[in-house]
Amino acid sequence: MKTFFWLVKREYWENRGGFLWAPIITGGIFLLLNIMGIIAAEVIGARHGVLANGNLNSLVAHANAGDMADVGNALDVALLSSMWLISIVMGFVVLFYCLGSLYDDRRDRSILFWKSLPISNISTVLSKVVSATVVAPVIAVIAGIVFGMLQLLIFTLVLSFHGINAWQLLLLAHPVRAVLSSLCSIPLYALFALPAVGWLMFCSAWARSKPFLWAVATPALTGLMLSWFGIMDLFNLSTSWFWSHVVLRVLISVFPGSNLALDDHNMTTYISISSRGQSPLSLIDPAQTYSELSSPNLWIGVIAGIALLAVVTWLRRTSDDS
Amino acid sequence: MNAVITASGLSKRYKNTHALDQLNFQIDSGRIVGLIGPNGAGKTTALKAILGLTDFQGQLNVLGFDPRTQRNQLMEQVCFIADVAVLPRWIRVREAVDFVANVHPRFDRAKCEAFLARTKLQPEQRVKQMSKGMIVQLHLALVMAIDARLLVLDEPTLGLDILYRKQFYQSLLEDYFDENKTIIVTTHQVEEIEHILTDLMFIRDGKIVLDADMEAIGERFAEVMVSADKAAMARQMSPLDERQVFGKSIFLFDGADRAVLEGLGEVRRPSVSDLFVATMKGTYA
């Protein structure tokens, strides 16, 4: 257990740039852009007298319950927007982390050093899987929460300069729910990302060079061949089934939220949510997202991921610097 | 004496060449074995087989373990320095020590830090900021702090200047080696290690062509400096090698009668490099 902890720590040391600094820099830049936007709005507003104190206050005073709910939703979006951006960046980080995880040390020959230590291949592989599916998302979510809160705080401050009781507005947002939902999404992310992590790490362990090309070209070319020859018809499945359930699944599901896009069932819920103007939080509501646990799509992916990782461990056994 | 490594019929094929061809050898505890051979002779493959880094055919027993299946137990007892370039470039001195200290049950942190204190390495320094000599100092500090029974060195001093090379082998002898430890080393800089070796193994085209301890080599091989008038006589005794120096011929004999050789001229113990060159004649032809 101690060894495993240190293996994960080693992954973190090696990938601090991607795991820690990428989310922080993304969040920081997003925050900066928002502040610049606010300043620009203030300047324009002051010039044209749009944001005079009286206007805003009377707006709030005349708002009805529905308007208030919309304000709350808007604040929730503000809270989550940096999280979404950070999640996308984290998806790229995890994608390239997995591709390099078992390839980079073969290329720079440091595998000879790691393999000179009494560490089993299975712990090595698992430490990398945990780094990709737990460490990276946890850091991303924490960074997302911190920057979301900062964002909310800045909006509140700006509004309070205009004489609005901003704390009252803040009560309309749902920060606790947002934080809890985000944290809850990590285990589901790990399960959903497993086939992609498995596939990318398989390419990383197997390819003699250019793992990225193998990882992308193999499923894409297979998809093209299937489309060309119409083989999928034999199984009564459309070619688009192959693209969405295999090609995209092994590449895109490292991106958080891709389960929403790649699952038909979720897609319809998503559309119904956005059309009804509900809270954006219901999109990441655990009660909603965890219904996915009942879908075979998820579990087939998990099994495929585990199978790939077993092959990865076996490949790692005999891989050296050659 | 107990055997640390026993190999019988050890073979490894790459597509159409024999990297290792039916090797049989035994290495005992407390020895320093030089595994010497030309490029591509199979040295590294043999070491990789011993370390469980590659598959092979035949029997191989290292410290009672099969390197193919019991690698994890084996690596607690075995240390390995490939060459100076294998430490990950991103790691810091402090991180490397922390990591090995926490994953290796036989690592002595105080010992490692004592070695590091004798160098210019700083805890926050990264490997990519170090010279080759400093990298090998770090690697050696890590390895010498591990109480292992077998140390495998594959060209450990490649590309180092003479100061670092001397210091490397001196540290190994003074602070590391004892009768419970065994060292296997491959290198092309034979002259620098011949005085520390206890055993010599020549490998050529995947076969062992010489396997003897240094004493036996001194008895078996002799180098005689023969003046021109006796050269013809010496040639009849089928020498391994002949070369000319200052108008005299130097002959290398394998297992010739000492008394006869003394009659020919001045008899010396051949250097390992001369022996190597004579044994490997025609390798690249």
Side-chain angles (χ1 to χ4, degrees):
Chain A
M1 208 53 225
K2 185 177 134 201
T3 302
F4 191 76
F5 170 77
W6 281 89
L7 281 171
V8 175
K9 199 162 177 172
R10 179 195 78 183
E11 296 302 317
Y12 173 73
W13 282 338
E14 185 176 359
N15 298 283
R16 213 182 320 233
F19 287 174
L20 179 68
W21 293 112
I24 288 180
I25 290 169
T26 311
I29 290 175
F30 189 58
L31 203 61
L32 196 71
L33 288 176
N34 272 294
I35 293 171
M36 284 162 64
I38 289 170
I39 292 171
E42 288 289 323
V43 170
I44 295 168
R47 232 175 250 168
H48 302 280
V50 177
L51 287 175
N53 291 350
N55 288 353
L56 269 178
N57 270 331
S58 62
L59 271 179
V60 175
H62 291 101
N64 61 28
D67 294 337
M68 288 314 234
D70 281 344
V71 171
N73 288 345
L75 289 173
D76 286 338
V77 169
L79 182 64
L80 288 177
S81 52
S82 54
M83 176 100 68
W84 279 328
L85 206 62
I86 287 172
S87 297
I88 293 169
V89 170
M90 187 210 97
F92 281 107
V93 168
V94 170
L95 179 87
F96 287 104
Y97 166 73
C98 289
L99 278 175
S101 60
L102 296 161
Y103 172 74
D104 289 350
D105 61 357
R106 290 189 293 137
R107 192 188 48 185
D108 71 9
R109 307 183 64 228
S110 60
I111 186 173
L112 292 176
F113 174 67
W114 302 122
K115 280 207 156 186
S116 73
L117 296 165
I119 300 166
S120 66
N121 295 316
I122 189 150
S123 338
T124 304
V125 170
L126 280 181
S127 73
K128 288 167 193 281
V129 174
V130 166
S131 301
T133 58
V134 180
V135 176
V138 164
I139 295 174
V141 163
I142 290 173
I145 289 169
V146 169
F147 281 104
M149 292 296 183
L150 282 174
Q151 186 112 317
L152 211 55
L153 209 66
I154 288 169
F155 283 157
T156 317
L157 279 173
V158 170
L159 288 176
S160 59
F161 285 144
H162 292 285
I164 295 177
N165 184 356
W167 303 113
Q168 185 201 341
L169 278 181
L170 269 192
L171 287 178
L172 295 169
H174 314 88
V176 176
R177 193 175 154 209
V179 167
L180 288 180
S181 301
S182 311
L183 287 173
C184 281
S185 66
I186 295 172
L188 189 67
Y189 166 77
L191 288 176
F192 194 78
L194 213 53
V197 169
W199 167 250
L200 295 169
M201 283 179 68
F202 169 78
C203 293
S204 180
W206 176 78
R208 279 182 180 262
S209 65
K210 303 191 176 55
F212 179 79
L213 205 62
W214 284 107
V216 176
T218 315
L221 283 179
T222 315
L224 281 177
M225 297 295 271
L226 292 178
S227 306
W228 190 264
F229 295 110
I231 293 169
M232 292 318 280
D233 296 343
L234 299 177
F235 305 103
N236 272 334
L237 289 164
S238 68
T239 309
S240 66
W241 180 92
F242 182 83
W243 281 93
S244 67
H245 286 78
V246 180
V247 180
L248 290 178
R249 194 79 163 82
V250 298
L251 296 174
I252 304 299
S253 48
V254 286
F255 289 91
S258 56
N259 51 334
L260 299 176
L262 289 180
D263 192 292
D264 309 333
H265 166 72
N266 269 323
M267 204 62 197
T268 44
T269 350
Y270 170 70
I271 290 162
S272 70
I273 286 169
S274 43
S275 60
R276 266 181 288 153
Q278 279 188 1
S279 160
L281 286 179
S282 50
L283 200 59
I284 55 165
D285 186 359
Q288 186 70 245
T289 51
Y290 272 78
S291 67
E292 183 133 352
L293 288 183
S294 64
S295 102
N297 178 11
L298 178 81
W299 293 108
I300 292 169
V302 169
I303 291 165
I306 291 171
L308 281 165
L309 290 171
V311 178
V312 165
T313 311
W314 179 79
L315 281 173
R316 180 76 177 178
R317 189 179 72 84
T318 50
S319 53
D320 55 21
D321 58 323
S322 57
Chain B
M1 283 228 270
N2 49 335
V4 173
I5 302 176
T6 324
S8 60
L10 178 63
S11 297
K12 164 94 188 174
R13 282 183 68 95
Y14 289 114
K15 280 176 190 144
N16 40 20
T17 53
H18 277 287
L20 299 176
D21 192 3
Q22 298 286 324
L23 296 194
N24 298 299
F25 61 89
Q26 178 176 330
I27 293 173
D28 293 320
S29 182
R31 314 298 290 182
I32 303 181
V33 183
L35 183 63
I36 321 254
N39 291 336
K43 293 171 304 211
T44 301
T45 311
L47 294 187
K48 280 189 173 163
I50 290 168
L51 294 161
L53 289 171
T54 185
D55 268 331
F56 54 83
Q57 287 80 50
Q59 296 296 312
L60 181 60
N61 181 308
V62 184
L63 298 165
F65 299 110
D66 182 333
R68 284 169 293 194
T69 53
Q70 296 166 300
R71 198 164 182 279
N72 300 337
Q73 295 104 299
L74 179 64
M75 291 320 285
E76 282 186 21
Q77 308 272 354
V78 179
C79 278
F80 174 41
I81 299 184
D83 61 36
V84 296
V86 303
L87 287 184
R89 290 175 52 75
W90 53 267
I91 208 164
R92 295 173 194 274
V93 173
R94 175 180 52 80
E95 292 171 339
V97 176
D98 273 350
F99 183 76
V100 180
N102 282 287
V103 301
H104 207 301
R106 302 168 74 90
F107 183 79
D108 181 346
R109 194 184 185 115
K111 213 171 164 184
C112 180
E113 275 161 4
F115 288 132
L116 287 174
R118 284 194 246 150
T119 67
K120 285 183 177 173
L121 296 169
Q122 300 299 313
E124 292 301 315
Q125 206 169 4
R126 286 182 196 273
V127 167
K128 63 177 155 216
Q129 298 160 338
M130 298 176 191
S131 70
K132 270 191 167 184
M134 294 163 97
I135 297 173
V136 85
Q137 281 180 331
L138 172 59
H139 206 160
L140 193 62
L142 292 171
V143 159
M144 292 209 305
I146 294 171
D147 182 25
R149 287 171 59 199
L150 174 65
L151 174 61
V152 176
L153 305 169
D154 187 8
E155 293 284 359
T157 54
L158 198 70
L160 298 189
D161 68 36
I162 182 109
L163 297 175
Y164 278 120
R165 293 205 299 262
K166 290 273 179 204
Q167 188 199 37
F168 181 89
Y169 289 113
Q170 201 175 344
S171 305
L172 271 186
L173 275 190
E174 287 174 4
D175 302 318
Y176 183 77
F177 184 69
D178 60 41
E179 69 275 12
N180 297 317
K181 293 187 162 69
T182 307
I183 300 178
I184 307 179
V185 52
T186 75
T187 180
H188 290 300
Q189 277 136 353
V190 194
E191 318 82 45
E192 282 169 28
I193 59 158
E194 68 170 291
H195 60 281
I196 71 168
L197 295 180
T198 65
D199 293 76
L200 199 56
M201 222 185 261
F202 281 176
I203 184 168
R204 177 180 176 176
D205 298 333
K207 291 191 177 72
I208 290 176
V209 290
L210 177 73
D211 179 9
D213 66 49
M214 292 303 273
E215 269 175 45
I217 283 171
E219 286 161 16
R220 194 176 135 186
F221 295 95
E223 200 174 65
V224 193
M225 196 180 262
V226 185
S227 52
D229 51 322
K230 290 181 180 166
M233 211 162 95
R235 268 178 212 119
Q236 281 177 351
M237 293 172 66
S238 58
L240 275 181
D241 188 38
E242 177 187 348
R243 62 200 156 94
Q244 311 289 329
V245 178
F246 303 129
K248 287 191 164 187
S249 298
I250 298 179
F251 291 93
L252 184 68
F253 290 100
D254 179 0
D257 187 349
R258 283 280 149 153
V260 180
L261 295 183
E262 310 255 327
L264 288 173
E266 188 192 336
V267 179
R268 292 187 312 197
R269 182 197 173 97
S271 74
V272 172
S273 44
D274 287 336
L275 197 56
F276 178 73
V277 172
T279 316
M280 299 297 164
K281 244 188 317 184
T283 301
Y284 299 131

